[in-house]
Amino acid sequence: MKEALFYTREAQGVRCSLCPQACLIADGSSGNCRVRRNTGGRLIAETYGRVSSMHPDPIEKKPLYHFHPGSSILSLGTLGCNLHCRYCQNHSISQAGTDDLPLLSYRSPDEIVNQARTMEGNLGIAFTYNEPTVWIEFMLDIAGPAKGAGLKTIVVSNGYILPEPLDRMLEVTDAFNIDLKGFTGDFYRKVTFASLSPVLDTLVRIRSAGLHLELTCLIVPGLNDNPDIFRDILTWICDTLGEDTPLHLSRYFPTYRMNLPPTPLHTLTGLHSLASERMPYVYIGNAGYQEKGRDTHCARCGTLAIRREGYQTEVPGLDAGGFCLNCGTRVAERHK
Ligand code: SF4
């Protein structure tokens, strides 16, 4: 546990200013994310150092397809989330609260950085599994020393965060995958219990900071698969973030509080075709063996740059810096 950053005191409690929920939290209660509690007028980050899972993952699993392809990265998460998506695939940890804390072991930032530093072939540290921003204090305490040790820091997030804490994260993060869950305010309100515009603001801020950014959209049948609305968001992505932003279209399966049937494969391939008219790096994920949306071809000359088979990755078409061997276009960030 640690005193939280980003809050102020008010007459009726403390006001958390980490995310747009802006919870006013009475003494003894916790905020909407269930892991930041008002204890006697101080906001406490209760999950500081409390790790729910930690292991090396292929970077493609985040998913990041254009950032050090084929690398392994030490990935960790805790409990809690500031959104409450009806279909959350990780609801057992994301929707859990501090009642479950005794089940988690404590790890110090030094321990985690040391482990990441001494693991053979490890690229860095990925904050993932639940929503990482809800333990921002722990992330910041790790990411600074990790950077000093030459490790990369990756954040896999819903992007629902206010500008001031986001700016602190931008200083120490190398790459983001942001979950763009839907394309309308209505979808966000009904399915995630949050709002769309702060997420778009986050994307703009990450792009302006020049950091590596990929997007994931979980496509849910009947809820966010309308081709006209999808076209609108593609236009926004291309015009605002750039056509070369990697976009991952992920297949939904019924879980938690949603029992709609799984996304039909033809829906994913249809949206993939639509996006590919404008964007060169569009992928299909969580859909088993799938020819379409799997490999990476150079946006300029079409050379096969990265070949993927499950989480096996080969990089036949790029040099050590991530440039196309045929035409010299930058396709991915890689070790030099
Ligand atoms: S981070 Fe948690 S406590 Fe803070 S405003 Fe968001 S939901 Fe509320």
Side-chain angles (χ1 to χ4, degrees):
M1 292 195 189
K2 187 172 185 177
E3 184 170 8
L5 300 169
F6 312 112
Y7 78 95
T8 49
R9 293 190 178 86
E10 296 187 8
Q12 280 128 12
V14 299
R15 174 82 63 184
C16 179
S17 51
L18 175 56
C19 92
Q21 303 279 13
C23 301
L24 177 60
I25 308 169
D27 192 13
S29 299
S30 54
N32 194 289
C33 57
R34 300 188 61 199
V35 293
R36 300 171 77 80
R37 186 181 299 273
N38 178 349
T39 307
R42 292 167 74 222
L43 186 62
I44 301 297
E46 293 185 297
T47 54
Y48 186 94
R50 307 301 287 265
V51 174
S52 65
S53 29
M54 178 159 86
H55 37 84
D57 275 343
I59 199 159
E60 283 73 19
K61 207 170 176 179
K62 303 302 107 192
L64 285 179
Y65 275 19
H66 290 248
F67 191 77
H68 301 270
S71 299
S72 172
I73 188 150
L74 181 64
S75 304
L76 65 151
T78 181
L79 304 176
C81 186
N82 50 353
L83 267 58
H84 306 288
C85 306
R86 292 180 180 280
Y87 54 66
C88 183
Q89 320 252 321
N90 283 346
H91 61 91
S92 62
I93 54 171
S94 75
Q95 303 304 310
T98 45
D99 293 348
D100 302 292
L101 272 180
L103 302 172
L104 309 186
S105 58
Y106 175 80
R107 307 293 295 267
S108 74
D110 282 351
E111 266 179 84
I112 287 169
V113 174
N114 279 336
Q115 182 164 343
R117 205 170 40 80
T118 51
M119 281 169 61
E120 204 180 324
N122 180 49
L123 178 69
I125 299 169
F127 296 93
T128 178
Y129 303 137
N130 70 310
E131 171 50 40
T133 55
V134 300
W135 67 347
I136 188 169
E137 295 79 9
F138 192 55
M139 282 177 47
L140 294 174
D141 284 355
I142 289 174
K147 211 177 184 66
L151 297 164
K152 303 288 184 197
T153 298
I154 288 171
V155 171
V156 181
S157 167
N158 59 34
Y160 205 61
I161 183 169
L162 287 171
E164 190 193 342
L166 175 61
D167 285 349
R168 290 284 295 278
M169 280 172 50
L170 296 179
E171 289 167 13
V172 290
T173 304
D174 297 287
F176 287 85
N177 184 302
I178 299 290
D179 219 348
L180 181 56
K181 294 172 184 289
F183 318 125
T184 63
D186 196 49
F187 177 94
Y188 263 83
R189 252 188 323 279
K190 290 180 176 157
V191 178
T192 74
F193 303 95
S195 54
L196 170 62
S197 64
V199 180
L200 300 182
D201 291 346
T202 292
L203 295 175
V204 170
R205 254 180 142 77
I206 294 171
R207 175 55 82 223
S208 304
L211 298 173
H212 184 85
L213 171 64
E214 303 195 17
L215 302 178
T216 296
C217 301
L218 185 84
I219 303 297
V220 187
L223 295 184
N224 63 359
D225 59 351
N226 179 303
D228 293 329
I229 296 175
F230 186 65
R231 242 185 230 106
D232 290 345
I233 199 73
L234 290 177
T235 299
W236 184 88
I237 293 170
C238 291
D239 293 352
T240 315
L241 307 176
E243 294 177 358
D244 60 351
T245 307
L247 174 64
H248 301 265
L249 304 175
S250 187
R251 190 181 191 198
Y252 147 90
F253 287 92
T255 185
Y256 192 40
R257 292 182 174 156
M258 192 169 278
N259 58 9
L260 291 167
T263 318
L265 287 176
H266 65 81
T267 301
L268 290 166
T269 54
L271 295 179
H272 177 276
S273 298
L274 208 57
S276 299
E277 288 171 12
R278 296 195 60 182
M279 302 173 71
Y281 304 130
V282 185
Y283 303 101
I284 293 177
N286 207 20
Y289 181 82
Q290 182 70 30
E291 196 66 50
K292 210 170 186 177
R294 190 185 57 167
D295 298 332
T296 298
H297 295 263
C298 171
R300 184 156 162 226
C301 71
T303 292
L304 176 63
I306 308 168
R307 186 188 294 120
R308 301 182 185 86
E309 185 82 56
Y311 291 122
Q312 298 296 315
T313 303
E314 292 169 22
V315 190
L318 301 181
D319 69 13
F323 294 87
C324 175
L325 286 172
N326 183 51
C327 71
T329 298
R330 185 83 190 263
V331 175
E333 203 162 309
R334 286 190 91 188
H335 289 295
K336 292 219 169 64

